[in-house]
Amino acid sequence: MSRTVVVTGATSGIGRAAAQAFAARGDRLVLAARSPEALDQVRAECRAVGATVLTVPTDVTDSARVEELADTAEREFGRIDVWAHTAAVMAYGRFEEIPERVFEQVIRTDLLGAAVVAREALRRLRATGGGTLVLTGSVLGHITAPYMSAYVASKWGLHGLVRTLQQEGRDRPDVRICLVSPGSVDTPVYQQAANHLGWAGRPPPPATDARRVARAVLDCVDRPRREVSVGRLNGLMRLGFTVLPGTYDVLVGPLMRRVGLTGERTPPHDGVVFAPAPAGSAVRGGWGSGLTGLVRLVRNLRSG
């Protein structure tokens, strides 16, 4: 049966892959992101497979715009059945060297923006008889990595928020809340990240294909679960972080410098933290995934 699905963060990476996947199975789509130009591209892709699509330029940090987004979806399609939230930005740098305005905007987008969306989505789903809210977390909501303090703080906060919402929502089993937590993913978010570190970032191999994470999002809609982890090394990293914290802290810095940075120098810049870059929007970031990424990891470690 066709559902009405709102996707926030629909123009790049996991969000774009999820929009395409929902479209392919015939759902009605309401797509939201900051860039009208990039939204037009995704709308064309989804309409090409026969989906009914609306686009609503939206900044998730603006509660009034998120409310307008929900109003539009209900006005056009009667109700919202699914809300998939994937919008996120990233910044590289030592904590004391990231400008305060950049750090706070990452938190504002990745944590407070997710809270804005969750508040609006849950209000609508409860008013219309139920549905599913899927939020996108990260393995960095369970572990830490140097040079990514704002993103890590946001994802830890998001994990805590989702668990709390799940606890508070036990009296409404018709409203399902799911968290999809990927590890390293081949998306453009690394190229688009703010950088005040001096070295460009990349997804530590082996990176997961964004379409695999999108499938996990759709699977949560069909078979809701508290949290789904996507990534070959997620469990190992979480185990090391929890069971051997001292060893983890010794190793994570050198590993991050070896496999989480490219070695390419970059001047300080704010990436897409404050404004979108439509030309950089895509499903993949071009980093490679799966076996290719694992081979790259082994080569990097050997060369070190």
Side-chain angles (χ1 to χ4, degrees):
M1 185 178 76
S2 179
R3 298 167 170 142
T4 298
V5 179
V6 177
V7 182
T8 33
T11 54
S12 190
I14 296 166
R16 191 165 185 157
Q20 294 171 352
F22 281 118
R25 71 179 196 177
D27 290 321
R28 300 177 296 271
L29 298 179
V30 184
L31 306 179
R34 293 178 296 174
S35 168
E37 297 88 350
L39 280 171
D40 288 344
Q41 296 171 10
V42 185
R43 177 174 57 194
E45 293 166 358
C46 294
R47 284 182 172 175
V49 297
T52 301
V53 186
L54 292 177
T55 57
V56 184
T58 306
D59 185 332
V60 297
T61 66
D62 185 335
S63 58
R65 297 302 298 272
V66 173
E67 183 177 3
E68 290 174 11
L69 168 63
D71 286 341
T72 300
E74 291 187 336
R75 183 172 60 251
E76 295 296 328
F77 297 124
R79 58 172 289 151
I80 297 168
D81 299 297
V82 176
W83 196 313
H85 178 68
T86 68
V89 294
M90 188 184 291
Y92 288 99
R94 291 181 177 274
F95 170 71
E96 68 273 16
E97 295 173 358
I98 297 176
E100 183 178 349
R101 59 186 178 80
V102 173
F103 185 94
E104 291 184 352
Q105 186 65 18
V106 173
I107 300 290
R108 190 172 293 116
T109 302
D110 295 0
L111 176 56
L112 299 183
V116 168
V117 166
R119 186 178 296 113
E120 193 64 39
L122 292 176
R123 183 167 71 87
R124 304 290 176 139
L125 295 176
R126 287 169 178 156
T128 55
T132 305
L133 169 64
V134 183
L135 297 113
T136 307
S138 170
V139 69
L140 290 177
H142 296 279
I143 66 173
T144 59
Y147 318 127
M148 302 181 72
S149 55
Y151 188 78
V152 169
S154 298
K155 292 304 184 179
W156 276 71
L158 179 60
H159 180 254
L161 173 64
V162 172
R163 285 296 302 271
T164 302
L165 296 178
Q166 290 167 339
Q167 291 163 358
E168 293 178 353
R170 288 178 61 83
D171 61 335
R172 287 295 305 268
D174 56 327
V175 178
R176 299 164 294 274
I177 304 168
C178 308
L179 182 67
V180 174
S181 295
S184 180
V185 186
D186 177 20
T187 78
V189 71
Y190 305 90
Q191 294 101 323
Q192 295 178 336
N195 196 303
H196 295 271
L197 183 63
W199 301 96
R202 65 180 172 191
T208 299
D209 190 292
R211 290 183 173 87
R212 182 183 171 206
V213 185
R215 288 195 295 271
V217 171
L218 269 68
D219 192 50
C220 278
V221 174
D222 297 333
R223 299 187 301 117
R225 281 156 290 169
R226 182 186 302 276
E227 182 176 3
V228 176
S229 177
V230 185
R232 292 172 177 83
L233 300 182
N234 289 10
L236 181 62
M237 290 188 291
R238 290 179 61 176
L239 180 66
F241 182 83
T242 303
V243 177
L244 298 168
T247 302
Y248 179 94
D249 287 353
V250 168
L251 295 176
V252 69
L255 282 171
M256 181 65 180
R257 289 189 289 273
R258 173 60 59 184
V259 301
L261 303 173
T262 65
E264 176 186 345
R265 297 292 295 182
T266 183
H269 63 84
D270 292 342
V272 300
V273 169
F274 295 99
S281 296
V283 171
R284 292 189 174 96
W287 301 103
S289 58
L291 182 58
T292 301
L294 189 57
V295 170
R296 184 180 301 164
L297 173 60
V298 172
R299 286 176 178 170
N300 286 338
L301 292 176
R302 283 180 176 175
S303 65

